[in-house]
Amino acid sequence: MARRPTDDRSVREDRGPVRYGPPAPDPGLPVLPELAAVLASAADSGAPEPTGGGAPLREAATAYWRRRGLHGGPEHVAAAPGASPLLLALIAAHGGDVLVPRPCPASWIPQTRLLGRPAYQVPTPAECGGVPDPYALLETVRRVRAEGGRPRLLLVSVVDDPTATVAPPELVSEACEAAIAEGMHVISDETWRDTLHRPHDTVLLSPAEMFPDDVTVLCDLAGALTPAAWPVAVARFPGTARAALRHARTLDILTALGAHVAGPVARAAAHALREPDAVTDRVRRAAALQARVAAAAHRAVLASGALARPPQAGRHLYADLGPLRTRLAERGVTDSLELEEYLTERLSTPTPGGHRFGDELGALRVRLGTGPLLGTTPERQRESLTAVAPLELPHVAEALSIFGTALAELR
């Protein structure tokens, strides 16, 4: 069924979905010293990066994707200061209406609306988020066209925020094949692909590997490679004539937005994309640490009687507190906005409700970040990263205890 996102009028003015939208999940880790040194070495350069990124950054992104089986040249790459302006430019470069999975990353629907486009939400299957159910996708396309719409673009996130799940290759293939057969282009957000908790046991396949001429790949480096305070994202376009036109249009839009990557940030990002040993070691250690703490948080969620898919990537999990509705109502919590406020205060960290991600306001769903459980100072975060048994560290054990208690009291 074709469904538009939740009406803004159902959300309080002082908690609107854009201006007060949730930040990306906090890694809970200090900046990698090697990257800080690269950034500092470029700090005295005043030359701006060209629109879409300079040659070193684009070449590094090309090599990064080549190591993951996605081939192409730097002429097919564009960079921007963060995923939001880059995705906005990508959507603007394509005509027609946009389809997104439900739930989806918090910025997708507001960005689509900002361009005056409707964003039609498509349910995801029970086993994962990020990719729509193929049959629901086809039914949504049919209904959108019956209403006079023009579905032309599908956004997916194979490694998903908010659900922290990884879509199985067969689902990715079926959903993208259905969309492409209906004349749609696919944008695959692969920001979290390097944060797999069990990389040797999880099969991850990019839609661009299956449909190289019909998929644009987007990656926010803050997912795994660079600090969120250094905004940079890259996009890889197909090697077709049509994609070349969209690439040019994307650069035009980024120019109009003044969306240039800062020179020192571009230098650090290129270094991270080349994946020297220090960077790959940090990425591996961080993913292993997040796997442990996310598993502990998941156990606490289930022990409370709430529901959540086992987190497979990232630094968060997506919980459904619907089974605890009665106890929550006793505390004045009847929807996801009130749940967001309640848990944010109780846990002393941003805990965005499901309405931020396109879920119904009445559903008691929430994204729970795991980064804040690792410590509040760089010293404690570093200790968490290097400990043999991080969950036994006093500051981590205490944070997990507070987390578990906040949920257990709702049983």
PDB file of all heavy atoms in Angstrom, residues 323-340:
ATOM      1  N   PRO A 323       5.253  -4.448  23.804  1.00  0.00           N
ATOM      2  CA  PRO A 323       4.808  -5.351  24.869  1.00  0.00           C
ATOM      3  C   PRO A 323       4.792  -4.719  26.253  1.00  0.00           C
ATOM      4  O   PRO A 323       4.177  -5.266  27.178  1.00  0.00           O
ATOM      5  CB  PRO A 323       5.847  -6.498  24.792  1.00  0.00           C
ATOM      6  CG  PRO A 323       6.329  -6.477  23.385  1.00  0.00           C
ATOM      7  CD  PRO A 323       6.361  -5.024  23.023  1.00  0.00           C
ATOM      8  N   LEU A 324       5.452  -3.585  26.422  1.00  0.00           N
ATOM      9  CA  LEU A 324       5.491  -2.901  27.713  1.00  0.00           C
ATOM     10  C   LEU A 324       4.550  -1.702  27.747  1.00  0.00           C
ATOM     11  O   LEU A 324       4.678  -0.827  28.607  1.00  0.00           O
ATOM     12  CB  LEU A 324       6.930  -2.436  27.994  1.00  0.00           C
ATOM     13  CG  LEU A 324       8.032  -3.492  27.835  1.00  0.00           C
ATOM     14  CD1 LEU A 324       9.394  -2.887  28.102  1.00  0.00           C
ATOM     15  CD2 LEU A 324       7.775  -4.677  28.748  1.00  0.00           C
ATOM     16  N   ARG A 325       3.601  -1.661  26.838  1.00  0.00           N
ATOM     17  CA  ARG A 325       2.732  -0.492  26.676  1.00  0.00           C
ATOM     18  C   ARG A 325       1.992  -0.133  27.967  1.00  0.00           C
ATOM     19  O   ARG A 325       1.865   1.053  28.328  1.00  0.00           O
ATOM     20  CB  ARG A 325       1.737  -0.740  25.548  1.00  0.00           C
ATOM     21  CG  ARG A 325       0.858   0.466  25.225  1.00  0.00           C
ATOM     22  CD  ARG A 325      -0.036   0.193  24.016  1.00  0.00           C
ATOM     23  NE  ARG A 325       0.757   0.033  22.806  1.00  0.00           N
ATOM     24  CZ  ARG A 325       1.147   1.047  22.051  1.00  0.00           C
ATOM     25  NH1 ARG A 325       0.849   2.288  22.403  1.00  0.00           N
ATOM     26  NH2 ARG A 325       1.852   0.816  20.961  1.00  0.00           N
ATOM     27  N   THR A 326       1.510  -1.128  28.692  1.00  0.00           N
ATOM     28  CA  THR A 326       0.722  -0.843  29.890  1.00  0.00           C
ATOM     29  C   THR A 326       1.560  -0.132  30.942  1.00  0.00           C
ATOM     30  O   THR A 326       1.136   0.891  31.518  1.00  0.00           O
ATOM     31  CB  THR A 326       0.146  -2.145  30.469  1.00  0.00           C
ATOM     32  OG1 THR A 326      -0.698  -2.754  29.495  1.00  0.00           O
ATOM     33  CG2 THR A 326      -0.666  -1.858  31.726  1.00  0.00           C
ATOM     34  N   ARG A 327       2.765  -0.659  31.215  1.00  0.00           N
ATOM     35  CA  ARG A 327       3.614  -0.033  32.216  1.00  0.00           C
ATOM     36  C   ARG A 327       4.086   1.338  31.759  1.00  0.00           C
ATOM     37  O   ARG A 327       4.236   2.261  32.580  1.00  0.00           O
ATOM     38  CB  ARG A 327       4.818  -0.932  32.519  1.00  0.00           C
ATOM     39  CG  ARG A 327       4.462  -2.234  33.212  1.00  0.00           C
ATOM     40  CD  ARG A 327       3.800  -1.980  34.568  1.00  0.00           C
ATOM     41  NE  ARG A 327       4.667  -1.240  35.472  1.00  0.00           N
ATOM     42  CZ  ARG A 327       5.551  -1.801  36.282  1.00  0.00           C
ATOM     43  NH1 ARG A 327       5.692  -3.121  36.298  1.00  0.00           N
ATOM     44  NH2 ARG A 327       6.289  -1.073  37.083  1.00  0.00           N
ATOM     45  N   LEU A 328       4.323   1.494  30.460  1.00  0.00           N
ATOM     46  CA  LEU A 328       4.726   2.800  29.947  1.00  0.00           C
ATOM     47  C   LEU A 328       3.586   3.807  30.089  1.00  0.00           C
ATOM     48  O   LEU A 328       3.815   4.981  30.429  1.00  0.00           O
ATOM     49  CB  LEU A 328       5.149   2.683  28.490  1.00  0.00           C
ATOM     50  CG  LEU A 328       6.539   2.075  28.259  1.00  0.00           C
ATOM     51  CD1 LEU A 328       6.718   1.692  26.795  1.00  0.00           C
ATOM     52  CD2 LEU A 328       7.633   3.066  28.678  1.00  0.00           C
ATOM     53  N   ALA A 329       2.368   3.369  29.834  1.00  0.00           N
ATOM     54  CA  ALA A 329       1.224   4.274  29.967  1.00  0.00           C
ATOM     55  C   ALA A 329       1.085   4.775  31.401  1.00  0.00           C
ATOM     56  O   ALA A 329       0.672   5.926  31.639  1.00  0.00           O
ATOM     57  CB  ALA A 329      -0.048   3.561  29.525  1.00  0.00           C
ATOM     58  N   GLU A 330       1.436   3.940  32.369  1.00  0.00           N
ATOM     59  CA  GLU A 330       1.398   4.365  33.765  1.00  0.00           C
ATOM     60  C   GLU A 330       2.374   5.504  34.032  1.00  0.00           C
ATOM     61  O   GLU A 330       2.207   6.264  34.992  1.00  0.00           O
ATOM     62  CB  GLU A 330       1.728   3.177  34.668  1.00  0.00           C
ATOM     63  CG  GLU A 330       0.673   2.078  34.640  1.00  0.00           C
ATOM     64  CD  GLU A 330       1.127   0.838  35.396  1.00  0.00           C
ATOM     65  OE1 GLU A 330       2.273   0.842  35.909  1.00  0.00           O
ATOM     66  OE2 GLU A 330       0.349  -0.128  35.476  1.00  0.00           O
ATOM     67  N   ARG A 331       3.372   5.618  33.182  1.00  0.00           N
ATOM     68  CA  ARG A 331       4.364   6.686  33.296  1.00  0.00           C
ATOM     69  C   ARG A 331       4.088   7.818  32.314  1.00  0.00           C
ATOM     70  O   ARG A 331       4.934   8.675  32.095  1.00  0.00           O
ATOM     71  CB  ARG A 331       5.767   6.118  33.074  1.00  0.00           C
ATOM     72  CG  ARG A 331       6.232   5.213  34.195  1.00  0.00           C
ATOM     73  CD  ARG A 331       7.422   4.379  33.772  1.00  0.00           C
ATOM     74  NE  ARG A 331       8.042   3.695  34.903  1.00  0.00           N
ATOM     75  CZ  ARG A 331       7.545   2.608  35.497  1.00  0.00           C
ATOM     76  NH1 ARG A 331       6.404   2.074  35.051  1.00  0.00           N
ATOM     77  NH2 ARG A 331       8.168   2.045  36.525  1.00  0.00           N
ATOM     78  N   GLY A 332       2.914   7.810  31.704  1.00  0.00           N
ATOM     79  CA  GLY A 332       2.538   8.868  30.778  1.00  0.00           C
ATOM     80  C   GLY A 332       3.130   8.723  29.398  1.00  0.00           C
ATOM     81  O   GLY A 332       3.157   9.688  28.623  1.00  0.00           O
ATOM     82  N   VAL A 333       3.606   7.534  29.057  1.00  0.00           N
ATOM     83  CA  VAL A 333       4.218   7.284  27.751  1.00  0.00           C
ATOM     84  C   VAL A 333       3.243   6.490  26.902  1.00  0.00           C
ATOM     85  O   VAL A 333       2.953   5.324  27.194  1.00  0.00           O
ATOM     86  CB  VAL A 333       5.544   6.511  27.896  1.00  0.00           C
ATOM     87  CG1 VAL A 333       6.121   6.187  26.525  1.00  0.00           C
ATOM     88  CG2 VAL A 333       6.528   7.316  28.723  1.00  0.00           C
ATOM     89  N   THR A 334       2.709   7.121  25.845  1.00  0.00           N
ATOM     90  CA  THR A 334       1.714   6.458  25.007  1.00  0.00           C
ATOM     91  C   THR A 334       2.088   6.419  23.530  1.00  0.00           C
ATOM     92  O   THR A 334       1.379   5.805  22.735  1.00  0.00           O
ATOM     93  CB  THR A 334       0.345   7.152  25.151  1.00  0.00           C
ATOM     94  OG1 THR A 334       0.468   8.517  24.723  1.00  0.00           O
ATOM     95  CG2 THR A 334      -0.145   7.094  26.592  1.00  0.00           C
ATOM     96  N   ASP A 335       3.163   7.117  23.144  1.00  0.00           N
ATOM     97  CA  ASP A 335       3.603   7.074  21.750  1.00  0.00           C
ATOM     98  C   ASP A 335       5.114   7.194  21.694  1.00  0.00           C
ATOM     99  O   ASP A 335       5.780   7.333  22.727  1.00  0.00           O
ATOM    100  CB  ASP A 335       2.915   8.163  20.911  1.00  0.00           C
ATOM    101  CG  ASP A 335       3.199   9.581  21.413  1.00  0.00           C
ATOM    102  OD1 ASP A 335       4.268   9.799  22.023  1.00  0.00           O
ATOM    103  OD2 ASP A 335       2.368  10.476  21.188  1.00  0.00           O
ATOM    104  N   SER A 336       5.676   7.141  20.491  1.00  0.00           N
ATOM    105  CA  SER A 336       7.132   7.110  20.379  1.00  0.00           C
ATOM    106  C   SER A 336       7.772   8.451  20.710  1.00  0.00           C
ATOM    107  O   SER A 336       8.937   8.504  21.109  1.00  0.00           O
ATOM    108  CB  SER A 336       7.546   6.656  18.971  1.00  0.00           C
ATOM    109  OG  SER A 336       7.156   7.595  17.988  1.00  0.00           O
ATOM    110  N   LEU A 337       7.046   9.552  20.573  1.00  0.00           N
ATOM    111  CA  LEU A 337       7.577  10.853  20.968  1.00  0.00           C
ATOM    112  C   LEU A 337       7.755  10.915  22.475  1.00  0.00           C
ATOM    113  O   LEU A 337       8.804  11.336  22.979  1.00  0.00           O
ATOM    114  CB  LEU A 337       6.644  11.962  20.482  1.00  0.00           C
ATOM    115  CG  LEU A 337       6.995  13.384  20.908  1.00  0.00           C
ATOM    116  CD1 LEU A 337       8.390  13.763  20.438  1.00  0.00           C
ATOM    117  CD2 LEU A 337       5.971  14.376  20.371  1.00  0.00           C
ATOM    118  N   GLU A 338       6.744  10.469  23.201  1.00  0.00           N
ATOM    119  CA  GLU A 338       6.844  10.451  24.666  1.00  0.00           C
ATOM    120  C   GLU A 338       7.869   9.412  25.126  1.00  0.00           C
ATOM    121  O   GLU A 338       8.573   9.627  26.119  1.00  0.00           O
ATOM    122  CB  GLU A 338       5.475  10.163  25.266  1.00  0.00           C
ATOM    123  CG  GLU A 338       4.481  11.303  25.034  1.00  0.00           C
ATOM    124  CD  GLU A 338       3.044  10.926  25.355  1.00  0.00           C
ATOM    125  OE1 GLU A 338       2.760   9.718  25.498  1.00  0.00           O
ATOM    126  OE2 GLU A 338       2.210  11.843  25.448  1.00  0.00           O
ATOM    127  N   LEU A 339       7.986   8.315  24.389  1.00  0.00           N
ATOM    128  CA  LEU A 339       8.995   7.309  24.714  1.00  0.00           C
ATOM    129  C   LEU A 339      10.392   7.883  24.516  1.00  0.00           C
ATOM    130  O   LEU A 339      11.302   7.652  25.331  1.00  0.00           O
ATOM    131  CB  LEU A 339       8.800   6.075  23.834  1.00  0.00           C
ATOM    132  CG  LEU A 339       9.797   4.930  24.036  1.00  0.00           C
ATOM    133  CD1 LEU A 339       9.711   4.369  25.456  1.00  0.00           C
ATOM    134  CD2 LEU A 339       9.562   3.820  23.010  1.00  0.00           C
ATOM    135  N   GLU A 340      10.576   8.636  23.449  1.00  0.00           N
ATOM    136  CA  GLU A 340      11.859   9.298  23.200  1.00  0.00           C
ATOM    137  C   GLU A 340      12.226  10.212  24.357  1.00  0.00           C
ATOM    138  O   GLU A 340      13.363  10.189  24.857  1.00  0.00           O
ATOM    139  CB  GLU A 340      11.765  10.095  21.905  1.00  0.00           C
ATOM    140  CG  GLU A 340      12.955  10.987  21.622  1.00  0.00           C
ATOM    141  CD  GLU A 340      12.759  11.808  20.358  1.00  0.00           C
ATOM    142  OE1 GLU A 340      12.643  11.211  19.272  1.00  0.00           O
ATOM    143  OE2 GLU A 340      12.725  13.051  20.470  1.00  0.00           O
TER     144      GLU A 340
END
